[in-house]
Amino acid sequence: AQSVTQLGSHVSVSEGALVLLRCNYSSSVPPYLFWYVQYPNQGLQLLLKYTSAATLVKGINGFEAEFKKSETSFHLTKPSAHMSDAAEYFCAVDTGRRALTFGSGTRLQVQP
Amino acid sequence: EAGVVQSPRYKIIEKKQPVAFWCNPISGHNTLYWYLQNLGQGPELLIRYENEEAVDDSQLPKDRFSAERLKGVDSTLKIQPAELGDSAVYLCASSLGREVFNEQFFGPGTRLTVL
């Protein structure tokens, strides 16, 4: 079975500070990993995905994530937070079922 | 290019009433998904279609939930009868191909409130 754990349901950072959203997965086979962002009253939007190519993945809006097999992690980072980054972020995994298993989400607040 | 369209955006019904949600995927996308998102949780897959065939409906509560995708384009998800615990956001997504790394595009969802 596959699962995703997002540590911290709420993260608050100051504008311009580093953003770090944590995601750990469990999977018995090499996973495909995704980060999605959800703004209020909108659908989910793909930020980036890992599909077994480079372990450091760059996405939209300045976000990136690093796949670390030894730590079973896929943490999302952004060097400098912007007010517009305030949203809910979901990590997801697929081990070939072609169905995403999502974490419970992390709400990012950006303080001015 | 138009995104995934869902209607209605909001629905309030009494328990035991039927309700239906409609989804129009992005043109040309042959894979369609319905997800359930409870408050404070990530989406959970209900059913996945490849064209008009439901290829993964293992998480769909078939005693009260049904879905169809006639002609492999639009899809309808129905609940009959609705229960209080069905209050949630129902998301539709579509993707161009069946491969897992094909991006899923999500609609804005239908927020269901059962009173």
Side-chain angles (χ1 to χ4, degrees), chain A residues 58-72:
Chain A
K58 295 186 183 298
I60 62 172
N61 301 339
F63 284 93
E64 62 181 38
E66 186 172 8
F67 172 69
K68 292 187 176 180
K69 183 178 179 180
S70 61
E71 299 178 7
T72 61

Side-chain angles (χ1 to χ4, degrees), chain A residues 71-83:
Chain A
E71 299 178 7
T72 61
S73 68
F74 191 57
H75 302 330
L76 181 71
T77 61
K78 183 175 180 177
S80 176
H82 191 272
M83 295 297 291

Side-chain angles (χ1 to χ4, degrees), chain A residues 32 34 36 38 41-46 49 51 88 90 94-105, chain B residues 9-10 33 35 37 40-43 45 48 50 56 58 91 98-104 106-108 111:
Chain A
Y32 296 100
F34 306 80
Y36 281 83
Q38 187 175 35
N41 298 315
Q42 294 187 30
L44 283 80
Q45 179 184 6
L46 182 67
K49 61 184 177 184
T51 57
E88 184 105 26
F90 293 94
D94 190 323
T95 55
R97 273 190 62 216
R98 294 187 288 276
L100 294 173
T101 298
F102 286 86
S104 56
Chain B
R9 290 294 311 277
Y10 304 91
Y33 311 77
Y35 288 88
Q37 185 176 22
Q41 299 294 321
L45 181 70
R48 174 169 65 91
E50 297 289 347
D56 186 350
S58 58
L91 296 168
R98 63 178 62 189
E99 296 302 327
V100 66
F101 45 78
N102 287 125
E103 179 179 352
Q104 293 186 29
F106 284 80
R111 183 176 297 276

